Amino acid sequence: MVQFHDHIISDLLEDTTTTGSGGGGLVILSGGLGLHKLITAFFITSRILIVDLLTHRLPVSSVAGIILLNAHLLSETCTEAFIVRILRAANKDVYVRAFSDRPHAMVSGFAKAERTLKCLFLRKLHLWPRFQVYVSEDLERDPPEVVDIRVPMSAYMVGIQKAVIEVMDACLKEMRKTNKVDVEDLTVENGLFKSFDEIVRRQLDPIWHTLGKKTKQLVSDLKTLRKLLDYLVRYDAVTYLKYLDSLRASESFRSVWIFAESSYKIFEYAKKRVYLFRRSNGETLTTPTKSVKSKKRKLDDSNKDKEGSPVTSANSGVILEEILEEAPKWKVLREILEEIEAEREKQATTSDECDAENDQNNKGIVLVACKDEHSCVQLEECITSNPNKVMRGEWEKYLLSKVQLHALPKRNKKKTQAPKGFGILDGAVPLTPSKGVESSTSSIVTQEHDALLAAANEISKQAQRGIEVVNDPQISVEGKGKGKGKGNAKGRNKRSTKNVSLKQDDKNKAESASTNESELSPDNELNKVKNTTIDSSVLKKHVEGKPIPPVHFYAYESGHQILDILKPSAIVVYHPDIAFVREIEVYKAENLSKRVKVYFLFYEDSTEVQKFEASIRRENGAFESLIRQKSMMMLPADQVAHGLGLSSAGETESPSKQNMVTRKAGGQKEARKEMQVIVDMREFMSSLPNVLHQKGMNIIPVTLEVGDYILSPAICVERKSIQDLFSSFASGRLYHQVEMMVRYYRTPVLLIEFSQDKSFSFQSTSEISDDVTPHNIISKLSLLALHFPRLRIVWSRSLHATAEIFASLKLNQDEPDEAKATRVGVPSEEGFVEDDVRAENYNTSAVEFLRRLPGVTDSNYRAIMEGCSSLAELALLPAEKLAELMGGQKSANTLREFLDAKYPTLL
């Protein structure tokens, strides 16, 4: 633990002693400054804890305090605020300490930090940015040695990046034309961050239903373009092309960005990083750069192993030239590892025995940090074999997936036909014809398609003959036996043990076909390797070429605190991340005697550098804003008493209740009766129980078979949010839920609850049609109300409006019985349910049959059921009695004629 960690803890403890109550505070610090080192406590989910507190399984007196993580996610209606209110109401000495390492999230929205303090009944805000005095002194006392390496991107990568930025800028200009989003936030720099999508969507959510399809698609396109920039510097050329092909096939008919002026360059340059075409008449293409290794292969059985021959299509004379551009960082990473090993060997010859023993204790592991597991697996392959083999393996899998996808429509030709644009076969990007070329674009696409398919068929034939084709490491990696850097003992395709050879028998054909099909789906853009253990990626010294030290590949997404475990002396930051940089600084500050050398790999003049620098500016700006907010915050002098006063005394009474009091003699106010609401356990994932408790209602959590909220012995409520309502209609679950409520309760209620920050309507007026359609939500609700006439539908604007509605519904009602509510819907040993509401509930088939008889309507079927006990008795009633029950002679005659009609004679 670094010294500034002690200052953070001492400040929190000082607040407890000075305030005289439980104390505590909200701590906001920069990402990567070791938040996990400050927390040593018991962890429990908020949903479990709130139920334990309400059911008194956990005595409040035994709780000394509570520590809350991710304070930037808290709000006044969250479950954590509910827990703190219950604890503080019973014991004001309970301390509350909240932490967050996302300062930019604490400045989103209006007065986010102040609202968070109020909902947690806190008064102290502690800010610990990187530039804080204690933090900067500790981290800069003996900083690690840093080597900043700027790797130039290839010409095609520069072209793709420029094209994506141009397309993103064009989409942002279209977004500005809507005049419905804050223009200051619509910048390319903000578009590089994941939070940009959330900011735009949060601004548009209240009016989302009024937006046109183009505006909605622009929001999705901006997210896609951000991924294109990120994946460009993260993945290899073949994987990037595969992702683009999947986008071309899936988004070509609805996306806006794909029709932008510069979008064709993205596909064109991405394809040229992998392969080129030239004609057999001698027409040449631009010579690749030095970093590009070009190989040519002729697809002929007799020359299948010979390189240097182009792939020629028999029909068109188009030659396929394999480029397979390697990522520029690969070569630099290899050189860095060789340099580290050379320096260590040099130091070993000059250092004394003590230093050598110390280095041996630290194991000399080099840590390579990447964003995701896929990058870790691929970099390990590059180190254990060589980059050229890795690219050839990706290229062969790319072609093999083509021939397998091409075979799928033929195999199912009699059953179904593949849709247009299926897979990457029909998603080829047309080549721009050069001067003097008279063939049309469609002809070039066909020639390109034939040449790729020919190459794919050749790869498939080789696989069928038993030649090993490396399977996709994203799919085939298991959780065991990974990454010791040992290749196969035999065969020329020497690979890491993470790679699994694929021999194409009939069974594996089908499996690999389905695998490659899933790879191209937009939902599975880039499958990631999981279940990585800490010791799985340590590579031993390389046996080919110059030696390298032991290497461990670490993915940020894994969340492991790897620095304290491995204690590396050299760190290569392959994908720069500001939080991980701070973790390195803290690691070095904790180990002052250890020599740590850090290598940063940036692509020169790339969005990678721009995003890294922007993240620093964004964090500093967030802390500056928080410092200003802290100086102007207005909190009650007694925050705890002020917050708990509303809960204990209840909200201001409604005018109707006040009028009821004044009608009594002397206007005396009767004793306030505590309201009880029985709530299903699953409803604690929402914020409504918290708001009901704020209104002074006693919450009783139980497991309910019927309904979500029981307000009285007769009133049962099924609550649906808008999203849940649509999904429940689609699955048919809502019909069953309403049917059960109608069966067991006199007043079944369907509560449709809207979000407070959204419009109070399902859809815009222009989208509501005059006809009843099975796909329209209004039509579905109408049919539901017609089928269940006793169902009451309640509309609520927000959580607080729902609480007011519940309070009004409970007026003049008895309080619900917990024991009876839990038994509803649960059959006994005899197979029936106790405490039935009405006799009709036991013979629903007879009721449905009655309602379908001629002359019986929704307004008179209940009177008929009260006037006769069975269908047999109904058939014997005279017309006068039927007219009395059915409310008219015409309806009675219609039913009587139907019942007295004779069967037709069968000859």
Side-chain angles (χ1 to χ4, degrees), residues 442-462:
S442 59
S443 176
I444 295 176
V445 172
T446 303
Q447 294 171 359
E448 179 180 350
H449 169 79
D450 293 341
L452 287 175
L453 191 59
N457 285 324
E458 177 61 25
I459 297 296
S460 179
K461 290 178 182 179
Q462 294 179 5

Side-chain angles (χ1 to χ4, degrees), residues 723-790:
Q723 184 178 2
D724 191 20
L725 180 69
F726 278 82
S727 62
S728 298
F729 267 124
S731 64
R733 187 175 71 254
L734 180 59
Y735 179 89
H736 174 71
Q737 291 170 334
V738 174
E739 185 180 36
M740 295 296 289
M741 287 196 301
V742 170
R743 182 173 181 179
Y744 298 116
Y745 289 93
R746 291 182 182 273
T747 310
V749 177
L750 173 62
L751 170 67
I752 301 176
E753 189 176 83
F754 289 77
S755 180
Q756 188 170 1
D757 57 349
K758 294 185 179 180
S759 178
F760 190 49
S761 63
F762 280 127
Q763 50 194 170
S764 60
T765 308
S766 59
E767 295 178 353
I768 301 177
S769 60
D770 298 331
D771 300 330
V772 176
T773 59
H775 303 292
N776 191 289
I777 186 64
I778 303 297
S779 302
K780 292 179 180 180
L781 279 174
S782 302
L783 293 174
L784 185 70
L786 290 174
H787 195 78
F788 300 103
R790 286 200 292 115

Side-chain angles (χ1 to χ4, degrees), residues 142 309-310 427 473 499 518 568 576 579 620 667 735-736:
D142 186 14
S309 300
N499 298 333
S518 65
N620 292 338
Y735 179 89
H736 174 71

Side-chain angles (χ1 to χ4, degrees), residues 579-597:
F580 186 70
V581 172
R582 304 272 168 72
E583 291 180 16
I584 296 175
E585 289 184 300
V586 174
Y587 164 70
K588 182 60 176 70
E590 292 177 333
N591 301 272
L592 294 175
S593 61
K594 188 176 184 62
R595 181 176 177 270
V596 179
K597 192 171 185 179

Side-chain angles (χ1 to χ4, degrees), residues 359-596:
D359 188 40
Q360 186 178 2
N361 293 333
N362 292 332
K363 299 181 181 178
I365 292 178
V366 177
L367 182 67
V368 179
C370 308
K371 282 188 177 181
D372 55 80
E373 296 284 358
H374 172 81
S375 299
C376 293
V377 172
Q378 195 170 63
L379 288 176
E380 183 174 344
E381 292 179 9
C382 293
I383 299 302
T384 53
S385 57
N386 61 68
N388 183 33
K389 286 186 178 181
V390 173
M391 291 304 299
R392 289 219 56 81
E394 294 290 340
W395 171 242
E396 290 173 357
K397 286 176 289 181
Y398 178 73
L399 292 177
L400 188 60
S401 65
K402 282 181 173 291
V403 70
Q404 290 166 345
L405 289 176
H406 182 73
L408 287 178
K410 293 182 179 179
R411 190 159 41 207
N412 302 327
K413 188 174 182 180
K414 295 182 180 180
K415 298 181 181 179
T416 57
Q417 292 290 337
K420 186 175 181 181
F422 177 77
I424 52 181
L425 292 177
D426 297 328
V429 183
L431 286 168
T432 304
S434 57
K435 295 182 179 180
V437 179
E438 299 178 356
S439 60
S440 64
T441 303
S442 59
S443 176
I444 295 176
V445 172
T446 303
Q447 294 171 359
E448 179 180 350
H449 169 79
D450 293 341
L452 287 175
L453 191 59
N457 285 324
E458 177 61 25
I459 297 296
S460 179
K461 290 178 182 179
Q462 294 179 5
Q464 291 175 2
R465 287 193 295 267
I467 299 177
E468 290 185 351
V469 178
V470 179
N471 197 7
D472 195 338
Q474 302 164 234
I475 305 297
S476 64
V477 172
E478 300 290 339
K480 58 183 180 179
K482 294 194 287 184
K484 293 297 182 181
K486 298 177 182 179
N488 297 329
K490 297 181 181 180
R492 66 182 183 90
N493 286 336
K494 185 176 181 182
R495 307 245 178 214
S496 169
T497 54
K498 289 189 178 180
N499 298 333
V500 180
S501 62
L502 174 65
K503 297 185 178 180
Q504 295 291 328
D505 54 13
D506 293 338
K507 179 179 179 181
N508 287 347
K509 278 184 183 178
E511 293 178 354
S512 59
S514 62
T515 298
N516 285 284
E517 183 180 5
S518 65
E519 287 178 14
L520 302 179
S521 64
D523 294 332
N524 298 320
E525 297 156 358
L526 293 169
N527 294 305
K528 298 178 181 179
V529 180
K530 298 182 179 180
N531 301 324
T532 304
T533 58
I534 293 178
D535 297 331
S536 63
S537 301
V538 179
L539 303 180
K540 296 182 179 180
K541 292 189 177 182
H542 199 53
V543 294
E544 299 178 3
K546 296 181 181 179
I548 62 173
V551 183
H552 178 87
F553 293 93
Y554 165 69
Y556 301 141
E557 65 182 11
S558 65
H560 298 305
Q561 304 302 326
I562 201 69
L563 295 174
D564 295 331
I565 299 174
L566 291 181
K567 301 288 186 182
S569 57
I571 304 172
V572 180
V573 184
Y574 191 83
H575 294 139
D577 180 77
I578 184 64
F580 186 70
V581 172
R582 304 272 168 72
E583 291 180 16
I584 296 175
E585 289 184 300
V586 174
Y587 164 70
K588 182 60 176 70
E590 292 177 333
N591 301 272
L592 294 175
S593 61
K594 188 176 184 62
R595 181 176 177 270
V596 179

